[in-house]
Amino acid sequence: MIIDIGYMLSAGVMLFSALHLLIQSRVSGQTTLYLSFGAMTLMAATYQLANYVYFNSTSVEDAVIAMKFQVFSVTIFIPLLYVFITFYAKLTISRYWGGLLFVASAIVAVLNVIEPYSIRMSAPVELVQIDVLGVSKSLLKGSPSPYGLSMQLLGLITLIWGTLTFVRLFIRQRNFLTFGFGVFLFGSAFGMLYGAAIDTGVVQGVYIVGYAFGFFVVITSFQISYDSKVQAQRIKQHRALLESVAKGVSYTIGQQFYEKLTLQLSEIFTAKYCYIGVVSENSKRVSTKSFAVDQCISTNFSYELINTPCANVLENKTCIYRKGVQALFSQDQLLVDMEIESYIGMPIRNSNGVQIGIIVLLDTKPLDFPSHTLDVLDIFAARAGAELERETAENTIRRLAYEDYLTQLPNRVTAYEYLEQLCRQNQTEESSIHLYLIDLDHFKVVNDALGHDIGDDVLRSFSRELQSQLPNDIFISRIGGDEFLIIDIKSSEFRLSKALKNVLGEPMVIGDHVIEVNASVGMAVVPQSSQSVLGMLRFAELALYQAKKNGRKQFCIYHEELEHIAKERMIIQTHLKKALLDNRISVHFQPQYRSNGSIYGAEALVRWFDDELGTVSPARFIPIAEETGLIHSLGDYILELSLSYLKVLKSELNYAGHFSINISAWQFALPNFIKSLEKHLIAHDVEASDVVLELTETAAFFQNITETIDKFHKLKQAGFQIALDDFGTGYSSLSYLKDLPIDILKIDKAFVDEIVDGSESPLTESMISIGSNMELDVIAEGVESSYQVKVLTQMGCHIFQGFYFDKPMPFESFRALLEAQNKKSD
């Protein structure tokens, strides 16, 4: 009777526990662990019920059915036990051992159904009665099956492995539940051996292995109740921690965020010291963003990583030293000075996983904290990484907005803000600001001849030279293109003159190129109480403009006269624009004569008379037209007027010569320049061969030399004649002259003027010789005396233009001249 009650009671307890465990698995967060243990408990309860039926059977058939249920429950129990032990001990499931168990269990389960007496017995089988504690119980007798012995051996091995596993766990953790598991497994192994002895007839009794598990279920129930209380306490702690996390990673940004974060961490971990540090680019140094001591913000500092525990954190792992860290890193003077005993360091990474910082907690006593608080530290590290990345992106955007990308100097926006700040700081003081506006001379030639990469290197090198030569208190910025602005608030007018000369006087070595950099400099001294930054800069711009006008490579200081010059330029620009609209611009023609007195051609020269300004010299208004863009309208106007006159002369006087029309560098650089010329020819029914396009050396070499040569060839293919004007005054034409398909060389008046009585002009003679050898027509400009005609003729020049022959004349006068020549020839 006692035996039956034991079976039924243990089965009932285990069924109740199985239900409890299955429910607990839904709320515990450890689903696999609790499900496997609950299923084990259910199989143990089934085993105990089967035992009750087995030992009270009245026939062989009833006993065999009960035995099959016994085997089935044990067959399922063994792999579940393996899964439970593996998850409880935090081990990795072995594919080999785990797979063997599951496959073996599946085979045994099938055989258990197929075999007539389960896998435990072989025929013949009989039902006998045995005496157990004075009570008669049924027992099957038969030959043990090899299948059953194999299954018992497999189960025994599993139990022994589990026992050893829990022994190791108990030694490490000394946990009550772990001890209970160990006792259960040992008892189960003993019970299994005792059951095998019963089956083989060595002893007479009932199976007790189920009672071992029942004992353990009771222990587990107490442990689960305890775990529930602990879980509730942990939930409470987690809620408090989450509230701290929410406070620490709220929507504050910048320095306030870092300080709040370190204070929250200090409070959560009760650490004496806490800081957030940024790792240097070479990963050799850490600089703190926020440092808390005793939950108060303190002064930031930086330190070398070598021989510190932080160096281990840089290997992308969290480092924890609960005690004895000072002894482990005795060369870390910071740990020694602060008497540090414990250390926690966690890496801070950006969104790409790159480590950019570190969170460190330090204390003078051993740190004791639950392991789950490290999850909080991980959240803080992720938020700190996001903030550092946001800050880096913001700094990058600010740098792009306020820093020149090429030279890393302040840009135009920064220069304006700096000047505005100076004005706000000293509006009432009698101090002055010295502005130096620098523009590199002929920088476009460097870009076109050597490429933009070399040009960029020149700008970078020039900016470095400025920074190295000028005092540290000088503000230097690149405000665009090849223009630099220097702002000085402490100097006399000429404090920087020597330094600037050192920068501008030295050639630069850029790769294989040696480049001489010259510049024009405009300087202005303006009151620091100025109200307009643009007005201040305008003074420097006027001085720079004058420096360029004076021939470049010049230094010009602003004075009031420049203001008058600027106003005059504005007036001329306004009147010129109106004159073009009203067709008030005229063209005069200066004949070009051969040495035999016949007319070779004529040069079209623009003239402008204004009702208010009077006669305005081309030397005054053409540069202004080029600077303001009016040169394109002016050029088209002159071309249209000249071609219309040329058509009249060709049709009415059968004019055999040509018209030379000056083309500015700006016109020549236009992409559609040739097509525009051809449209004008068609509109006026004039042949391209009757037009000579005069370009100065500057215009010819204004753009990329390869493009220039290509455009010259296209002009020749279109039928135009090309004259190179002012030959000898440029800077690089001789090296490319042989590649240019030109027809005429024009010797500049400056060389002709050198021909006076008793003087020699070898340069002029050389230029004439060059033209002759290249089979070009050579025209001497600015001829004003018979002596010059004589000498030039002796040198080999036979075409002349100048006041000695004729001054520029209106079209009607030139027409009359041609008519007179025609009558004379008749």
Side-chain angles (χ1 to χ4, degrees):
M1 188 70 178
I2 295 175
I3 295 172
D4 293 340
I5 292 173
Y7 280 133
M8 297 301 291
L9 183 62
S10 62
V13 170
M14 285 188 285
L15 284 172
F16 175 78
S17 297
L19 181 62
H20 184 205
L21 286 163
L22 292 173
I23 294 172
Q24 188 67 23
S25 69
R26 300 294 301 274
V27 298
S28 66
Q30 302 183 69
T31 305
T32 304
L33 183 68
Y34 277 85
L35 277 177
S36 60
F37 190 72
M40 285 167 55
T41 306
L42 185 62
M43 290 300 101
T46 303
Y47 180 79
Q48 288 295 77
L49 289 173
N51 280 342
Y52 172 79
V53 174
Y54 176 76
F55 286 112
N56 290 286
S57 297
T58 58
S59 65
V60 172
E61 290 77 11
D62 292 342
V64 168
I65 292 172
M67 182 181 290
K68 286 190 175 184
F69 271 100
Q70 286 176 334
V71 173
F72 170 76
S73 59
V74 172
T75 300
I76 303 301
F77 182 88
I78 290 174
L80 289 173
L81 177 65
Y82 171 75
V83 172
F84 171 76
I85 292 173
T86 302
F87 274 90
Y88 184 86
K90 293 181 173 60
L91 303 175
T92 303
I93 292 180
S94 168
R95 290 185 178 180
Y96 175 78
W97 181 243
L100 177 63
L101 274 178
F102 281 98
V103 171
S105 297
I107 294 172
V108 168
V110 173
L111 290 174
N112 186 56
V113 174
I114 295 173
E115 290 294 313
Y117 302 106
S118 82
I119 63 167
R120 284 174 54 189
M121 297 287 180
S122 298
V125 175
E126 61 177 331
L127 185 68
V128 298
Q129 298 294 314
I130 61 172
D131 182 70
V132 181
L133 299 177
V135 179
S136 178
K137 293 296 176 185
S138 300
L139 187 70
L140 286 173
K141 286 289 186 180
S143 302
S145 170
Y147 297 130
L149 293 175
S150 299
M151 187 63 188
Q152 285 179 331
L153 179 62
L154 192 62
L156 187 61
I157 292 172
T158 303
L159 289 171
I160 292 172
W161 167 78
T163 302
L164 294 175
T165 299
F166 277 99
V167 167
R168 288 194 297 269
L169 279 176
F170 179 73
I171 293 172
R172 189 164 67 246
Q173 297 180 356
R174 298 192 179 278
N175 180 277
F176 177 69
L177 186 61
T178 303
F179 175 75
F181 269 123
V183 172
F184 151 67
L185 291 172
F186 180 76
S188 297
F190 176 78
M192 184 173 285
L193 290 173
Y194 184 72
I198 293 173
D199 290 342
T200 56
V202 176
V203 296
Q204 285 191 344
V206 295
Y207 301 130
I208 61 172
V209 66
Y211 289 110
F213 192 76
F215 165 76
F216 177 69
V217 166
V218 173
I219 295 175
T220 304
S221 297
F222 283 110
Q223 184 66 39
I224 288 174
S225 177
Y226 173 77
D227 285 346
S228 297
K229 292 180 181 178
V230 171
Q231 185 73 7
Q233 184 64 29
R234 285 182 177 175
I235 291 173
K236 186 177 180 180
Q237 290 177 349
H238 272 288
R239 185 178 292 112
L241 285 173
L242 288 172
E243 289 176 359
S244 296
V245 170
K247 292 178 183 177
V249 297
S250 59
Y251 294 105
T252 55
I253 60 174
Q255 189 58 33
Q256 184 183 0
F257 163 79
Y258 298 119
E259 292 177 358
K260 193 172 184 179
L261 202 64
T262 51
L263 291 175
Q264 288 298 120
L265 283 172
S266 298
E267 182 180 346
I268 292 171
F269 288 86
T270 63
K272 183 177 181 64
Y273 304 102
C274 176
Y275 65 82
I276 296 171
V278 178
V279 181
S280 63
E281 289 185 4
N282 59 7
S283 299
K284 292 183 178 181
R285 194 169 187 83
V286 169
S287 300
T288 63
K289 297 285 290 185
S290 178
F291 176 48
V293 181
D294 292 327
Q295 298 189 22
C296 294
I297 298 299
S298 187
T299 306
N300 283 314
F301 63 94
S302 63
Y303 60 94
E304 296 290 337
L305 277 166
I306 189 170
N307 297 323
T308 70
C310 296
N312 295 334
V313 181
L314 285 189
E315 297 175 2
N316 289 328
K317 61 182 181 181
T318 300
C319 290
I320 302 174
Y321 302 95
R322 293 179 184 265
K323 61 180 180 179
V325 68
Q326 189 183 139
L328 291 173
F329 297 91
S330 57
Q331 295 183 14
D332 188 343
Q333 194 59 43
L334 193 63
L335 296 180
V336 175
D337 294 342
M338 297 167 70
E339 300 179 350
I340 300 302
E341 178 67 15
S342 51
Y343 172 98
I344 303 176
M346 178 171 280
I348 299 173
R349 301 182 182 90
N350 61 18
S351 57
N352 296 322
V354 178
Q355 185 164 334
I356 56 177
I358 185 172
I359 290 181
V360 175
L361 295 123
L362 306 162
D363 211 328
T364 54
K365 63 181 186 305
L367 276 173
D368 187 18
F369 56 88
S371 59
H372 63 269
T373 53
L374 287 177
D375 296 335
V376 176
L377 188 61
D378 193 41
I379 294 172
F380 276 62
R383 178 63 180 88
E387 178 60 18
L388 285 173
E389 195 166 19
R390 184 202 65 79
E391 204 171 67
T392 301
E394 186 178 90
N395 290 336
T396 300
I397 293 171
R398 175 170 288 275
R399 190 169 62 250
L400 290 173
Y402 292 95
E403 184 181 279
D404 174 50
Y405 75 97
L406 187 65
T407 63
Q408 280 72 60
L409 289 173
N411 62 11
R412 180 184 292 270
V413 174
T414 310
Y416 283 12
E417 289 189 357
Y418 178 67
L419 283 172
E420 287 177 349
Q421 182 182 357
L422 291 178
C423 293
R424 288 194 301 268
Q425 287 175 350
N426 298 280
Q427 288 188 0
T428 60
E429 294 185 10
E430 294 277 328
S431 52
S432 297
I433 301 174
H434 297 73
L435 303 178
Y436 297 79
L437 193 57
I438 303 172
D439 183 88
L440 301 186
D441 293 336
H442 305 302
F443 182 70
K444 188 178 186 303
V445 175
V446 176
N447 270 338
D448 290 342
L450 302 178
H452 287 276
D453 289 342
I454 298 296
D456 289 347
D457 286 340
V458 168
L459 292 173
R460 278 189 285 262
S461 181
F462 182 73
S463 68
R464 287 193 296 268
E465 283 297 310
L466 281 177
Q467 293 175 84
S468 65
Q469 292 288 341
L470 300 180
N472 293 331
D473 59 349
I474 298 297
F475 180 91
I476 308 170
S477 68
R478 179 184 175 222
I479 61 174
D482 57 347
E483 281 193 348
F484 294 81
L485 177 65
I486 297 172
I487 304 173
D488 185 10
I489 59 174
K490 298 181 180 179
S491 71
S492 64
E493 291 186 9
F494 301 101
R495 175 181 128 161
L496 304 184
S497 299
K498 183 177 180 181
L500 286 175
K501 286 180 180 178
N502 289 337
V503 175
L504 299 173
E506 293 294 325
M508 292 181 185
V509 179
I510 307 293
D512 297 330
H513 305 279
V514 179
I515 302 170
E516 183 178 348
V517 176
N518 292 306
S520 302
V521 182
M523 197 269 272
V525 182
V526 294
Q528 196 159 344
S529 58
S530 297
Q531 297 295 319
S532 170
V533 169
L534 293 177
M536 297 166 67
L537 289 172
R538 182 172 171 276
F539 294 150
E541 288 170 352
L542 289 173
L544 175 61
Y545 174 79
Q546 190 61 37
K548 290 181 178 179
K549 189 176 179 181
N550 292 344
R552 299 182 183 269
K553 199 178 177 181
Q554 301 291 320
F555 184 96
C556 181
I557 302 173
Y558 171 81
H559 50 85
E560 289 187 2
E561 183 62 28
L562 295 179
E563 198 74 47
H564 299 307
I565 295 173
K567 289 180 180 178
E568 182 185 7
R569 288 176 61 246
M570 183 59 69
I571 292 170
I572 290 175
Q573 177 187 345
T574 304
H575 283 252
L576 179 60
K577 187 181 295 185
K578 189 173 185 303
L580 286 169
L581 292 173
D582 296 341
N583 297 323
R584 299 292 300 273
I585 304 295
S586 62
V587 177
H588 286 203
F589 297 90
Q590 186 171 32
Q592 298 163 338
Y593 288 91
R594 296 185 181 89
S595 54
N596 62 7
S598 64
I599 292 180
Y600 173 77
E603 180 179 359
L605 299 169
V606 64
R607 292 294 183 264
W608 175 27
F609 177 83
D610 186 86
D611 292 338
E612 294 182 27
L613 304 178
T615 300
V616 186
S617 168
R620 288 177 64 194
F621 69 82
I622 287 181
I624 295 173
E626 289 179 336
E627 293 165 14
T628 59
L630 288 173
I631 191 65
H632 299 295
S633 299
L634 180 61
D636 285 343
Y637 182 90
I638 294 169
L639 188 63
E640 286 280 339
L641 199 56
S642 300
L643 292 179
S644 67
Y645 289 153
L646 182 59
K647 180 181 179 180
V648 170
L649 296 181
K650 288 288 183 182
S651 61
E652 295 183 3
L653 300 180
N654 198 25
Y655 175 56
H658 61 259
F659 273 0
S660 290
I661 302 174
N662 290 282
I663 303 297
S664 75
W666 302 100
Q667 289 175 276
F668 185 71
L670 288 175
N672 62 344
F673 172 66
I674 298 175
K675 288 185 178 179
S676 176
L677 284 177
E678 291 174 338
K679 286 182 180 178
H680 286 301
L681 291 177
I682 294 171
H684 294 281
D685 193 22
V686 174
E687 297 293 329
S689 57
D690 294 327
V691 178
V692 174
L693 302 176
E694 289 198 13
L695 291 100
T696 62
E697 291 186 51
T698 302
F701 296 98
F702 185 73
Q703 56 187 15
N704 183 284
I705 186 61
T706 304
E707 294 178 12
T708 296
I709 294 172
D710 180 62
K711 192 171 286 189
F712 268 52
H713 279 288
K714 288 179 179 178
L715 287 171
K716 287 293 294 179
Q717 290 171 6
F720 292 100
Q721 298 184 69
I722 302 174
L724 193 60
D725 197 8
D726 299 340
F727 181 65
T729 61
Y731 39 83
S732 58
S733 63
L734 287 175
S735 59
Y736 296 109
L737 189 60
K738 65 181 187 314
D739 299 319
L740 294 175
I742 60 177
D743 304 281
I744 300 168
L745 273 186
K746 297 191 76 175
I747 307 299
D748 188 69
K749 183 179 184 301
F751 297 100
V752 175
D753 287 344
E754 293 179 357
I755 302 174
V756 294
D757 290 343
S759 66
E760 295 182 356
S761 184
L763 281 176
T764 304
E765 187 171 6
S766 297
M767 287 186 281
I768 293 171
S769 176
I770 290 171
S772 299
N773 290 332
M774 294 182 68
E775 298 182 352
L776 303 176
D777 289 345
V778 180
I779 301 176
E781 291 186 298
V783 178
E784 296 182 354
S785 68
S786 59
Y787 180 77
Q788 290 174 334
V789 173
K790 177 183 175 183
V791 173
L792 287 167
T793 303
Q794 291 172 352
M795 291 179 178
C797 180
H798 303 289
I799 305 172
F800 312 98
Q801 178 180 342
F803 285 2
Y804 176 74
F805 296 93
D806 279 310
K807 292 182 180 181
M809 60 187 71
F811 171 70
E812 292 302 328
S813 300
F814 181 65
R815 179 176 180 174
L817 177 65
L818 291 177
E819 288 176 343
Q821 279 214 346
N822 286 345
K823 288 179 181 180
K824 190 184 295 185
S825 62
D826 291 342

